[in-house]
Amino acid sequence: MVEVTGLSKTFGKDTEVLKDINLKIKKNEVVAILGPSGTGKSTLLRCLNYLCEPTTGTVRVGNVTVDAAHHTRQEVRNLRRQSAMVFQGYNLFKNKTAKENVMEALVTVQKKPKAEAEQIALKLLEKVGMLERKDFYPAKMSGGQQQRVGIARALAVNPDVLLFDEPTSALDPELVGEVLNTIKQLAEEDTTMILVTHEIRFARNVATRIIFMDGGQIVVDGTPEEVIDHPENPRLRQFLNFVTK
Amino acid sequence: MKFNWEYFFQTLPYVASKLNITLSLTIISAIFSLIIGMVFALISYYKVVGLSQLLKVWVSFIRGTPVATQLFFFYYGLANLSSWILNMSPTVAVAVIMSLNMGAFVSETIRGSLISVDEGQREAAMSLGMSGWQMTSRIVIPQAIRVALPPLFNDLINLFKMSSLAFLVGVRDVMGAAKIEGANTFQFFECYACVMLIYWVITLILTAFQKVLEKRCDSIYA
Ligand SMILES: Nc1ncnc2c1ncn2[C@@H]1O[C@H](COP(=O)(O)OP(=O)(O)OP(=O)(O)O)[C@@H](O)[C@H]1O
Ligand SMILES: [Mg+2]
């Protein structure tokens, strides 16, 4: 479903943030990416849909492959259509209601008729528990509500893989639960997801696979039992000790 | 010396009748400065290589020199180089300078409003596979308009006041008519009082309108 080969990213002249990342993710996997701050987790996720252009390497999502060495704008747009991203800061369109946010890509990118897009949007808003607020603008929604609409918006394009970059870390503690529950529900439906998170316990419960990144590299890659319950790598142990304290 | 109220009220309708010139100048320059401002703003928003740097210099030049000087430089200075300017009617020359001058300010207002739409929303649009134009037309511009309208209306009020410079090149606008009338009767006090009153009243009306607009802009999308 997702395949990353020889991916590296250098900002400016010599800040190498990602070093030769190789990664394969199968359909229905729920992959959590953990790691200390500044190790390139967000950068990796953003390279998957070219919000951030890799320096070298190829990214394949679904049946679209883009090579950093030579790619066209159209290829990048095709790649982006295979995935959808849920942002730390929600990033809802502020001039659109909850329903319109979810409909937007259906109408503009997939060229669906309005009525059909609306049907899909209402169904998805119901799924994330936001049907009642369908006509609210983002300014009138709490962070948790905005993020659930953000998830519905991402689901709308029926992506091969959902990308989450710390979807709960901007939320007040009492609002984290509602968003995690929504994500958990998606995981139970076998949605393919890649999730950068600092919620270790959540990752342990929901993910089918956990990746630990450090210094721009994948250091550990295994099942939640292996990675969280029986960590062997010293850097991983240090990290887990640090965050669970 | 005493303020001659009778003469004041006698002159007021005459001076006010020149509002058609003042308002035409304002409206025509408003339209052109808006067009100039939008084109300039898009050039700097999209960071068009070469042009956007050139525009920066232009805007700083326009904003850093007095508009009366710009008018004279254009109408009396550049006219030496161009017969087109030499044969231009003073009213057109004033409109050109007002449009160029305000265009530079308007472009800054519009550019600022475009940038005010946060990067996150742009990223969201791109990540969904929307094209650059879809993103700009459906997400960025609707929000930018809301931000830009109140300051643009302010620019319009400034343009209205700026039009009084027309008298400098002999146009009989409100200010020009009062100046000529005053020169004939030597009752400058009353004549310029008429001008002050007329500008003040119109500005008050425009400002009231702006308040309503501001409220509307604040409450949309909320
Ligand atoms: N646009 C950029 N220009 C320059 N450096 C950048 C840019 N974006 C990220 N970096 C650098 O790349 C490194 C990795 O950043 P990244 O955001 O991927 O880390 P992260 O693992 O997501 O961290 P966090 O857990 O804090 O979100 C950081 O050192 C950061 O300063
Ligand atoms: Mg990050």
Side-chain angles (χ1 to χ4, degrees), chain A residues 11 17 35-44 166 198:
Chain A
F11 283 111
V17 172
S37 186
T39 43
K41 304 180 299 292
S42 298
T43 307
L44 174 59
E166 301 194 30
H198 285 139

Side-chain angles (χ1 to χ4, degrees), chain A residues 168-182:
Chain A
T168 58
S169 60
L171 292 173
D172 290 337
E174 71 270 20
L175 300 177
V176 169
E178 62 188 69
V179 173
L180 290 185
N181 280 336
T182 308

Side-chain angles (χ1 to χ4, degrees), chain A residues 46 49 51 77 80 83 85 87 91-96 104-105 108-109 111 137 139-140 153 157, chain B residues 118-132 134 138-140 142-143 220-222:
Chain A
R46 292 160 58 82
N49 63 11
L51 278 185
R77 277 188 73 192
R80 284 175 177 157
S83 62
M85 188 138 177
F87 298 87
N91 296 1
L92 292 188
F93 304 130
K94 294 196 178 113
N95 61 326
K96 310 231 167 236
E104 184 63 18
T108 57
V109 180
K111 314 277 183 213
Y137 284 100
K140 284 275 163 63
R153 178 176 68 179
V157 292
Chain B
D118 57 287
E119 189 59 27
Q121 294 185 64
R122 284 177 233 271
E123 289 198 339
M126 283 191 284
S127 78
L128 290 168
M130 288 168 74
S131 69
Q134 285 173 338
R138 298 177 58 100
I139 309 298
V140 177
Q143 293 180 60
I220 194 171
Y221 307 144

Side-chain angles (χ1 to χ4, degrees), chain A residues 26 33 39 60 84 97 100 102 114 129 150 156 176 184 194 231 242:
Chain A
K26 292 193 286 288
I33 302 180
T39 43
R60 179 176 68 79
T97 61
E100 290 165 346
V102 183
K114 263 216 166 123
V176 169
K184 191 163 177 226
I194 306 176
F242 182 71

Side-chain angles (χ1 to χ4, degrees), chain B residues 38-103:
Chain B
M38 283 198 278
V39 173
F40 283 16
L42 285 175
I43 289 172
S44 60
Y45 177 67
Y46 283 113
K47 304 197 173 73
V48 180
V49 187
L51 277 183
S52 63
Q53 283 82 355
L54 213 63
L55 277 186
K56 251 197 197 138
V57 178
W58 173 254
V59 169
S60 122
F61 168 69
I62 291 284
R63 295 176 65 141
T65 50
V67 59
T69 316
Q70 290 164 11
L71 179 61
F72 279 17
F73 182 77
F74 176 76
Y75 194 56
Y76 299 121
L78 287 181
N80 290 318
L81 301 178
S82 155
S83 59
W84 178 64
I85 298 176
L86 194 64
N87 297 326
M88 195 177 265
S89 88
T91 318
V92 173
V94 173
V96 168
I97 286 305
M98 284 170 68
S99 304
L100 288 178
N101 182 281
M102 196 48 78

Side-chain angles (χ1 to χ4, degrees), chain A residues 66-130:
Chain A
V66 176
D67 188 340
H70 44 82
H71 59 268
T72 63
R73 206 183 287 193
Q74 192 55 45
E75 281 176 339
V76 169
R77 277 188 73 192
N78 286 339
L79 181 80
R80 284 175 177 157
R81 287 180 199 181
Q82 312 302 311
S83 62
M85 188 138 177
V86 175
F87 298 87
Q88 182 174 0
Y90 334 125
N91 296 1
L92 292 188
F93 304 130
K94 294 196 178 113
N95 61 326
K96 310 231 167 236
T97 61
K99 185 178 79 185
E100 290 165 346
N101 262 279
V102 183
M103 287 169 62
E104 184 63 18
L106 292 172
V107 174
T108 57
V109 180
Q110 302 194 346
K111 314 277 183 213
K112 286 202 162 56
K114 263 216 166 123
E116 189 188 339
E118 188 169 359
Q119 285 307 311
I120 297 173
L122 294 177
K123 222 169 62 203
L124 288 170
L125 285 175
E126 180 163 29
K127 180 172 188 158
V128 299
M130 284 296 293

